Amino acid sequence: MSKEAQMRATINQKLIEMGERERLKELLRAKLIECGWKDQLKAHCKDVIREKGLEHVTVEDLVAEITPKGRALVPDSVKKELLQRIKTFLAQHATL
């Protein structure tokens, strides 16, 4: 495992242990709903299903199709807020 992968695993473990990961996930859910991301992605799913036909779309196809758009639609402000919260958490628990 590379040093970067080890560091990510350590940070992730610390986030889980201290309950911060769940708090961040809840914050992300709320922010994405608030900014309309969920509605945009839902509309995109409907478009994909309409284009391909319901009987020709699997869940795996739908996920592969919408994932890049879903990531691109996350507002920079939401990404920045999450990153700042993670940085603050790491600063407060600098013994990693």
Side-chain angles (χ1 to χ4, degrees):
M1 189 183 280
S2 73
K3 189 168 182 104
E4 182 178 330
Q6 287 175 337
M7 182 60 79
R8 283 177 185 254
T10 302
I11 291 169
N12 194 40
Q13 185 62 35
K14 190 62 109 175
L15 288 169
I16 292 169
E17 285 173 4
M18 304 199 70
E20 187 64 15
R21 183 172 175 172
E22 281 304 312
R23 285 188 288 277
L24 290 171
K25 282 171 56 175
E26 286 304 315
L27 172 68
L28 178 59
R29 275 189 199 97
K31 292 290 182 180
L32 291 177
I33 290 169
E34 181 182 300
C35 74
W37 177 90
K38 185 177 176 183
D39 294 330
Q40 289 177 308
L41 210 55
K42 186 176 179 179
H44 183 58
C45 286
K46 288 180 179 180
D47 291 343
V48 169
I49 292 169
R50 235 186 320 267
E51 285 173 20
K52 294 186 178 196
L54 182 59
E55 57 281 340
H56 301 292
V57 178
T58 65
V59 173
E60 293 80 15
D61 292 340
L62 192 56
V63 169
E65 180 87 23
I66 67 167
T67 297
K69 180 153 183 133
R71 287 184 178 145
L73 288 173
V74 176
D76 286 343
S77 61
V78 173
K79 292 176 188 176
K80 286 177 184 173
E81 183 174 350
L82 277 176
L83 183 59
Q84 186 56 47
R85 289 210 181 210
I86 292 169
K87 286 179 179 179
T88 300
F89 173 83
L90 291 175
Q92 290 171 350
H93 303 89
T95 58
L96 288 177

